[in-house]
Each structure stands twice: as structure tokens, then as C-alpha cells.
Amino acid sequence: MRVGSFAAGAVALVLLLTWIAFRGMSAELDDWKHASTVLEKIETARNMIDRNVLSARTGILRNYDPIVREIGLVRSSVERLRSDTVGDAEIGDAVGALQEALVRDERLIEEFKSRNALLQNSLAYFVVLNQNLEGQSQSQGQSRDFAGQIGRLAAAMLRLTLDTTPGSAAHVDAQLDVLLITSIATGNVVAAQPLLEHGRMLRDQLPATDALLRDLLSSPASGHMEAVQRLIEERAAAAGAAASMFRYMLYIISVLLVCMLVYLGAQLQARARALRFRADFEHAIAAISTRFLSSGSADPTSHVERALSELAACIGADRAYFVDGRMAGDYQWSRNGVDPAPGWPERMRRLAAAFERGDNGTIHVPAIRRSARATTRARTGREIDRGPGDAIDQMADAGLHAWVGVPSPDAESPGGILGFDALRPGPMTRWHDYGLFRMAFDTISAAVERDWLTREKERLEAGLQQARRMETVGALASGVAHNFNNIVGAILGYTEMARERVPPDGRLAENLDEIRLAAERALALVDQILTFGRRGISQRKLTRVRDLVDETASMLAASLPPRIELRVRDSSGDTRIPADPARLQQVLMNLAANAAQAMDGEGVIDIAIAAIETGDAVRLGSDELGPGRYATLRVTDGGRGMDTATQERIFEPFFTTRSDGNGLGLATAREIVREHGGAISVRSAPGEGTTFEVWLPYAIPESRPKESAPGRQLPVTSLRGEGETVLILDGDGQRLLRLEEIVAALGYEPVGVTRAEEAARSLGRPGSEFVAVLICEPRSSAFDVSALLRREAPALPIILATTSAADIHPPALAAAGIREIVHSPVTPAELARALSFCRKSQETAAG
């Protein structure tokens, strides 16, 4: 009964599809045939219009109603054609062009009707007048010349009605002129005047009407109709071909559907068996999960191995293994006598990368056979392929007949895999529902990860305590650094002022120099602490790597011990990087200083510059760089070197191996390199020296002239003023007094104020002449103060004292009228250079 119903349904489906094939695809073809019929009606109506127009021109047709009817028929037919082809843009455009041409023809027909009516009327009058005048001339016995001229004019006009060429028109003009002269000579001017008027009118109307008729008969509508007809024929032919094709396709599909139904019916029983097997497999996974949950925090090794054996038994695998790349777990199970070769799970984890994953994230290789290419490679010893084919050949060499792998879907755990090896043909090759293995992978991975997370939690808690201590120390150090910076700045300022007032070779001068050096070292330490904690946006520009290294080397030559030799090797060419040169110079200075200290002040520091382009990701220390182009700076020394433990902590803030170090140099260097999108690494061994390698992304810009190197700064003593007046604005009274003393010590006359309004009034007083204005205000209000002062003295240079200018853009400074920036707290040397620059700019403007 079931077979009979199934067969009846299949026959009904075939009959239904066959009926659709022969009946469902003819509507479009009928539409195009109907459009072609409408187009034929338009053509017939146009032909009738042309015939009627010609009849009206010859005088046969006196009534224009047939023309009007045909025009109405053309209009309605065009509208019907447009509605029939509305779904086809190309035919719609062609029909639109046809409709425009027909509208033009209608305008020409209307004009023709008006002209032809006037023409026929004038022609009738001309004939009557001609006959009357000729009869009168004969009855009254007038001159034969006059009567003959009337006849010749009639003949010329008759010729013009048949031939409206310029020659016929000129002949009529000549006859009209002769008749006019003859009528004057014979005294018949009054009688001939109406004939002459109608003759001239006919002479004008006949050529114009025929020209209009020629335009009408040469209408572009015929070409547009041919184009529409061609497109309709193409669409009809395509629709007919499509109808035939779809009839055959639907018939074939019907047959295929019947075959598919038969096949699906045969698979129902196999599917039922598969569902029973799936239920058993899910039950096994549930049992494994229950054991993992009940095991608590015990070592999961035995439970994982048992789970692998149960899963392998379900599909007839001979080996099973689970590897987690993140947690470094490696669990294996194998049937007796089929132990894997050493390193086999790791090898399969690498081979899995050559295969594409299925929809459920699994990889199934049902049959593994050694390929001909593998035989050729074994014979010749040459590598042929590194894709899936090569991986299958390696599996075949290991004796595998089938393989199932479940790679980790988590990007944080690369390389994790659950694998099953079949060393003999068996049920594993007939099993297809591998999506369950993703569930098995997740179950085992969760159990292993739970154990790993427990141990990781303990490690992170210890690290968190250390991080909290470091955070507290860092916050305390940053707060102390800001206050200490002001104190040291005051010490340095007063020391330099005192140094200017003592003899240069005395004991007191030496003591002041030592105080100044100690204060500068303290400022450098504070600056390193603040720089390490700052996260400002540096000003980048395209910088040539070799120029950056050469400039840094010139500074190092003056600061390194005399027995340190600095060597620079360059293979980078014209490599340029988007960088903040000052901050990258700080990186090189720190690395070179560390290298000199590691060699105890004697040896060679080698700086190698190169340009590298890589297509793979590169790991440098704890950072990873993607594929791209990089400029590399390698700083190598032959010093004491470091052990592994020291290398792991060398970039930590405040970690140092020297008693006089502060532990911020390398930490700051790494932060600067990271800000530039690069990475830094260290390679060292005790007694073998140390190599620091810096990678920075680079670009090769168009060639441009090199920027001139900045000149060497002049000493403070050569930058003293000559009594010029300097206006100082600082809301802090104590700091204002110290700034006035510094400015006075530099040879200038200070005028200090604490409010912006007082500064503006000082600038506005008659006769006040200032060489510059020094603003020591918070950056949030400094630009407003600058704008206020510029209204009083637009050309006066303004100097801004700020703790950091890293995130101030040069265009903003220029717009505010700020010429120079000095570091706060202000030092005499930096202020002297800024004032000297302002004084020179004033002198240049005055000259």
C-alpha cells in the first residue's frame, strides 16, 4: 500500500511538472507577439496618413478627417505599445524615441494642413483670375503681349506646382515681373494686380509646402519603428528559445525529482540507524561530561584518556589524542600495538592547517592514499607540494587509512585539536555525522581548561598583587615627580644665577657646578618618570632613518666615554619612517647608554640599520608585528650580557641591575617604540654581549631635499640681553619673583604682573617697549591670554612656559601668536635662547 501511494504521488508530480512545462512558459511570448501586432497597426496608420497627405497636396482630398482619425489611431496604438513593453527598459527607450518622432510628425501635419488649405485656396483664385483676365483681354482686343504673358505666367505656375525647385521658382518670379511691366505698358495694372498678388503667394507657398511635405515623408519615425520591431523580434525569439529550454529542463527536473524521491526512500532506513547511533554517541558524551564534573579539581589526565578511548571505540578509530595549544596539554590513547611515533600529535596538528574545515569546523579525510606526486618526490628528493595533497601523502606514509580532526575554533587557543586515526579500513569511513565531535572537543577542552584556569587563577592573583603594588608606587612616584620638578627647577635656576656672579675659577664656582650637575641629573630622572607615565600624541613627520641615527651618533660622541667606539652600518638606503625624531633619539640614547655601561666604558657599540619586508607575522619579545615593511635598528655591544631571568624583566619599569640606575630607560624606550607601531626585543647571554633590535614600520616617499641639521646651541653667556624689557605674566607670586630674578640675571629688565588684564594695560601704555612676553599660565587659559595680548601688541613675540608640549599642534601655536615654548620650571639657559630668538626677530622686523 505504501509503495502504491508513493508511485501514485510520483506519477502525479511528473504530470504536474509536464503540464507546467508546456503551459506555463507561453505568456511572455504572446505578449511580444501582441506588441508586434500593435506596431504593425502603427505602421499601417502612418502609411494611410502619408497617402492622405499626398492626396491633400494634389487637391484630391479636401476633407482632413481621415488624417485626424489615423493620427488618433497612432496615438492610442503607441500608448498600448508602451504599456505592453513597460518592463523592458531598452524597448521602453526605443518606444519613447518613436513617440517623440510621431509627435514631431503631428506638428508637421498640422502645419501642412494650414499651409495646404491656404495654397489650395490661392491656387483656385489664381486659376479663376487667370481665366477671367485672359478672357477680358481677348474680348476687348487688347495687346497680344499682355494676353500671351498671362498664358506664360499660367504655364510657369503650372510647372511650379509640379516642380518646386529653385529654377521653377525663379522662372515664376521672372514671369511675374514681365507681367507687371506689360500691365503697366498696356494700362492693365489694376486688372492684373489680384493675379500678381495670388501668383506671388503661390510662388512662396508651393516650395514651402513641398519642403514641409518632404520633411514629413522623411520622418525618423520609420527608423525608430524598425528599431522597436527589431528589439521585439529579438525578445520574442529569446522568449521562444527560453520556453523551449525550460520545457526540457522542467521535464528533466521532474525525472530527477522522481529519482531523488526513490533514493531518499532508500535512505530512510539507513538514516534511522544513524539516528540510533547518534543517540548512543550523545549518551557517551553525556557520560563523559558527568565524570568530568564529578571529578572536582583532580588531575583530569585519566578521565581525558578514558574519554578518548570511548569516543574512538564509537567510530572504530585505532588512535585518539587531544592537544590544547594554549594550555600545552597533550593526552593520547591508542589500541594495543599501534602506539604513535614520537611527536605524532604535534605533527598532525601542523598537518591539519593544510585542510579546509567543514561547516561544523571538523576535518574528515575518509580515504588516504599515497599520490603519484609523492612517489615522484620520494624518487627525486625534491619538494613538490605543501598543500593538502602533501599532508595526505605524509599521513599515508604514517600508515593512516582515514582521519578525523576537530581543530580549535578559538583564536586564543591556536593549534588545539582533537584527532582520531584509523590504521585499517572500517566503520570510521562510513560515519558522516562528525558535528558531534565538536561537542566532544568542547567537553574535553572545558575539563582541561577548568584545571588550567585553576592554576592560572592562582598565578594571576599573585601577579595582581604585584601589579597593585607597582600601581601604587607608580602613582606615588608620578605625584612626587611633579612637585619635585618644581623644587629642582628652583635649585637649578638659583644655582645658575649665583654662578654668573662668582669668579669662574674659584672653589665656589666648582661647588655651584656640582650643584647644577646634581640638579640636572635629578631633572632627567623626573623627566623620565613623567615621560614613561605620559600618553600624549607625538608630532610625527617622515624622517630618514640614516639621518636620525647620524644625528644621534653625533650627540653620543660627545656624551659617551672616550674609549667607547661607535660604529654605524647602513643597508637601508633612503628608508624613511613616520616618527617623532626627538623621541626615537631618546630610544637610541638609552640603548647606547646601557651598552656603554655594560662594557664598563670600553669597547665597540655597533648600530646596524636595515630595511626588511616580510610576508609573515613576526614576534619580537612580547609583541607581534603583522606582515609589512619595517626599518630595523640593531644595537650590539660586547659587554657582560644577561641571563634569561634578567632578559624577561629588562623592560619592566623600575627594574635595574645597577645600583645607580632608575629602571626607566628601557621601559620608556619600549613605550616609545610601541607608540610608533613597532616592537623591540633583546637577545643576550652571560659573557657574550647583548643585542637590542628595534622594528619600525616604514614607507618610501617621493624624493625630497634633506632638512638642514639644527645648529649647535650657543652658551648662555653669549645670549645675554642689553637691558631690553620683558613682560612676565604668572599668577603665582612666588614663582613670578623667581622668574624676574632669572630674567634680570640674563641682562633684561623684567616687568612682572599676576593678571592678564594688567599685562594688557602694560602693553597699551604709551611708550612701552617690550622685546617679548613670557606667559606662565595653565595651557587651558594660555591661548585666551595670548589672544588678549595680541589685540594690544599684534607683532610682539610671546613665549609659553609649559610642563609638556607633546600634544600641542604647531598650527595652534602659530594661530595664537606663540613664537617659542620653554619647559616649566624655567631654566636660565632655555629662557636665554628663547629671548635671544625673540630679540633677533624684533630687530629683523624693525630693519
Side-chain angles (χ1 to χ4, degrees):
M1 185 63 183
R2 291 183 179 178
V3 177
S5 300
F6 187 84
V11 171
L13 180 61
V14 172
L15 294 176
L16 176 62
L17 292 177
T18 303
W19 181 83
I20 293 174
F22 287 100
R23 295 291 298 174
M25 301 299 297
S26 61
E28 184 177 1
L29 183 59
D30 293 341
D31 291 340
W32 293 122
K33 289 181 179 179
H34 180 263
S36 180
T37 302
V38 174
L39 191 63
E40 291 176 359
K41 289 182 180 180
I42 297 174
E43 179 67 20
T44 302
R46 286 190 69 253
N47 292 334
M48 292 297 296
I49 291 173
D50 292 343
R51 189 192 67 178
N52 291 332
V53 166
L54 291 174
S55 299
R57 168 65 180 82
T58 58
I60 299 174
L61 181 65
R62 295 290 183 175
N63 187 0
Y64 293 142
D65 290 342
I67 298 178
V68 174
R69 286 196 301 271
E70 297 299 332
I71 289 175
L73 178 60
V74 169
R75 288 178 182 173
S76 60
S77 298
V78 170
E79 292 299 329
R80 191 179 307 117
L81 182 62
R82 178 178 285 277
S83 63
D84 290 343
T85 59
V86 69
D88 193 307
E90 185 179 4
I91 295 181
D93 294 340
V95 173
L98 173 61
Q99 190 172 19
E100 292 178 0
L102 292 175
V103 170
R104 169 188 173 275
D105 291 350
E106 288 184 23
R107 292 198 298 270
L108 293 177
I109 290 172
E110 292 299 324
E111 185 176 355
F112 168 78
K113 286 162 47 178
S114 300
R115 286 184 177 274
N116 190 62
L118 181 60
L119 175 64
Q120 296 298 332
N121 188 36
S122 296
L123 188 60
Y125 273 109
F126 181 83
V127 172
V128 172
L129 291 173
N130 182 70
Q131 292 174 352
N132 292 339
L133 190 58
E134 186 176 3
Q136 289 176 8
S137 63
Q138 291 176 358
S139 63
Q140 295 175 5
Q142 295 180 357
S143 171
R144 291 183 177 180
D145 293 338
F146 183 69
Q149 188 58 39
I150 292 173
R152 285 190 290 274
L153 176 60
M157 190 61 68
L158 177 60
R159 178 183 173 188
L160 182 61
T161 59
L162 300 176
D163 180 11
T164 56
T165 59
S168 299
H171 183 58
V172 170
D173 290 337
Q175 295 300 322
L176 288 171
D177 293 339
V178 172
L179 178 60
L180 177 61
I181 295 171
T182 304
S183 64
I184 294 173
T186 59
N188 294 310
V189 176
V190 177
Q193 187 63 34
L195 181 64
L196 290 173
E197 292 296 330
H198 282 283
R200 292 189 184 96
M201 183 179 297
L202 287 173
R203 182 253 176 265
D204 295 334
Q205 290 295 328
L206 280 170
T209 304
D210 282 359
L212 185 62
L213 187 59
R214 284 193 297 271
D215 289 344
L216 180 60
L217 295 178
S218 62
S219 171
S222 298
H224 293 306
M225 290 188 64
E226 292 177 0
V228 174
Q229 181 66 34
R230 184 176 63 256
L231 292 174
I232 290 176
E233 290 175 355
E234 292 176 358
R235 299 301 189 274
S244 299
M245 180 185 66
F246 278 110
R247 281 196 294 269
Y248 288 115
M249 288 180 60
L250 288 175
Y251 186 78
I252 294 172
I253 290 172
S254 65
V255 176
L256 292 177
L257 285 175
V258 171
C259 296
M260 184 183 299
L261 290 173
V262 173
Y263 172 78
L264 291 176
Q267 293 294 315
L268 287 177
Q269 189 175 4
R271 184 61 178 169
R273 290 195 300 268
L275 289 175
R276 286 195 298 269
F277 188 88
R278 178 186 178 92
D280 295 339
F281 193 84
E282 290 176 346
H283 179 73
I285 294 177
I288 292 171
S289 300
T290 302
R291 286 200 303 272
F292 282 139
L293 292 174
S294 61
S295 63
S297 59
D299 185 5
T301 303
S302 60
H303 295 288
V304 172
E305 292 178 352
R306 180 179 175 184
L308 292 175
S309 66
E310 293 176 355
L311 294 174
C314 290
I315 59 172
D318 299 299
R319 281 197 299 255
Y321 39 85
F322 175 81
V323 180
D324 193 299
R326 182 180 62 176
M327 294 170 282
D330 186 350
Y331 306 91
Q332 304 181 42
W333 172 87
S334 58
R335 186 169 49 83
N336 293 334
V338 291
D339 294 335
W344 177 249
E346 277 294 324
R347 185 179 177 188
M348 287 304 300
R349 185 171 65 171
R350 292 192 300 270
L351 293 179
F355 296 94
E356 294 185 2
R357 303 185 183 186
D359 295 337
N360 50 28
T362 62
I363 302 172
H364 177 212
V365 185
I368 298 176
R369 297 181 181 86
R370 187 178 179 85
S371 66
R373 290 183 301 176
T375 305
T376 304
R377 180 169 63 250
R379 185 172 61 252
T380 61
R382 292 184 293 106
E383 291 292 336
I384 295 178
D385 186 25
R386 287 292 183 185
D390 184 70
I392 290 177
D393 292 336
Q394 295 187 43
M395 293 179 182
D397 293 340
L400 269 66
H401 286 270
W403 180 71
V404 173
V406 187
S408 171
D410 189 359
E412 297 179 357
S413 179
I417 191 170
L418 172 64
F420 297 90
D421 301 341
L423 303 180
R424 52 185 177 173
M428 185 173 174
T429 59
R430 299 195 298 270
W431 171 247
H432 300 289
D433 195 1
Y434 292 101
L436 291 174
F437 284 94
R438 172 61 59 194
M439 186 188 304
F441 178 92
D442 295 339
T443 301
I444 298 175
S445 178
V448 175
E449 185 176 8
R450 185 182 61 177
D451 177 69
W452 178 81
L453 288 176
T454 301
R455 290 182 278 108
E456 185 69 9
K457 177 183 176 182
E458 297 173 355
R459 186 186 67 82
L460 290 177
E461 287 178 348
L464 179 61
Q465 295 298 328
Q466 178 66 17
R468 286 175 177 171
R469 288 194 294 270
M470 291 298 298
E471 181 182 5
T472 303
V473 172
L476 178 62
S478 179
V480 171
H482 280 286
N483 296 324
F484 189 67
N485 197 20
N486 294 328
I487 297 173
V488 175
I491 294 173
L492 187 59
Y494 283 113
T495 300
E496 292 191 1
M497 288 189 294
R499 183 67 176 80
E500 295 291 331
R501 292 182 173 87
V502 301
D505 299 329
R507 180 67 178 175
L508 182 57
E510 294 180 0
N511 292 338
L512 290 174
D513 288 340
E514 291 299 326
I515 293 174
R516 179 175 56 81
L517 291 175
E520 288 177 350
R521 285 195 296 270
L523 279 179
L525 174 60
V526 172
D527 188 62
Q528 281 189 329
I529 294 174
L530 295 178
T531 300
F532 179 75
R534 189 182 301 127
R535 293 297 183 267
I537 302 176
S538 60
Q539 300 298 316
R540 306 285 178 85
K541 64 180 181 179
L542 213 56
T543 305
R544 186 169 178 261
V545 181
R546 181 57 190 265
D547 294 343
L548 178 68
V549 174
D550 287 344
E551 186 175 347
T552 308
S554 64
M555 292 187 291
L556 288 172
S559 61
L560 291 176
R563 290 185 294 176
I564 293 291
E565 180 184 356
L566 191 64
R567 296 177 183 173
V568 178
R569 295 181 292 111
D570 182 16
S571 62
S572 63
D574 192 35
T575 301
R576 298 172 186 264
I577 57 176
D580 183 343
R583 291 178 67 77
L584 285 184
Q585 283 181 353
Q586 182 180 357
V587 173
L588 290 175
M589 296 283 284
N590 288 348
L591 296 180
N594 278 3
Q597 292 164 357
M599 295 187 295
D600 298 325
E602 181 177 4
V604 177
I605 299 176
D606 183 80
I607 301 178
I609 314 170
I612 296 176
E613 183 170 359
T614 175
D616 302 321
V618 179
R619 175 162 291 279
L620 295 174
S622 60
D623 297 326
E624 183 174 337
L625 299 179
R629 298 182 298 182
Y630 297 92
T632 63
L633 298 171
R634 188 179 293 108
V635 181
T636 304
D637 66 72
R640 296 183 296 271
M642 296 177 284
D643 56 20
T644 304
T646 303
Q647 293 180 53
E648 292 178 353
R649 301 189 60 193
I650 195 65
F651 294 109
E652 290 183 8
F654 305 108
F655 173 79
T656 180
T657 58
R658 303 194 311 272
S659 58
D660 58 342
N662 54 53
L664 287 175
L666 292 178
T668 303
R670 184 172 67 172
E671 291 302 313
I672 294 174
V673 171
R674 284 177 173 176
E675 288 175 7
H676 286 74
I680 185 173
S681 66
V682 61
R683 186 173 64 255
S684 180
E688 298 181 4
T690 302
T691 297
F692 286 92
E693 191 169 2
V694 177
W695 285 45
L696 298 167
Y698 81 86
I700 302 179
E702 298 178 356
S703 60
R704 64 188 68 186
K706 295 182 180 178
E707 298 179 358
S708 58
R712 187 178 297 276
Q713 295 176 346
L714 297 175
V716 178
T717 55
S718 65
L719 302 176
R720 293 181 58 82
E722 297 178 357
E724 294 88 346
T725 306
V726 177
L727 180 61
I728 307 173
L729 173 60
D730 194 335
D732 188 338
Q734 295 294 332
R735 193 166 55 203
L736 179 61
L737 291 175
R738 187 171 67 84
L739 289 174
E740 290 178 342
E741 293 177 357
I742 293 176
V743 171
L746 294 176
Y748 297 91
E749 180 65 30
V751 175
V753 296
T754 57
R755 293 187 303 160
E757 293 78 7
E758 295 178 11
R761 286 196 296 270
S762 299
L763 294 177
R765 291 193 186 99
S768 60
E769 295 185 0
F770 294 95
V771 71
V773 178
L774 175 62
I775 299 177
C776 299
E777 289 288 319
R779 239 182 318 162
S780 58
S781 60
F783 288 97
D784 296 334
V785 173
S786 176
L788 175 63
L789 300 183
R790 287 192 70 191
R791 286 196 291 269
E792 297 294 335
L796 186 62
I798 298 176
I799 303 172
L800 174 63
T802 180
T803 56
S804 173
D807 54 349
I808 302 179
H809 297 288
L813 296 174
I818 298 174
R819 300 280 186 88
E820 291 290 315
I821 294 180
V822 296
H823 189 270
S824 180
V826 177
T827 60
E830 190 175 13
L831 182 59
R833 285 187 286 270
L835 289 173
S836 175
F837 177 80
C838 293
R839 184 179 63 179
K840 290 180 180 178
S841 64
Q842 289 282 72
E843 293 173 354
T844 302

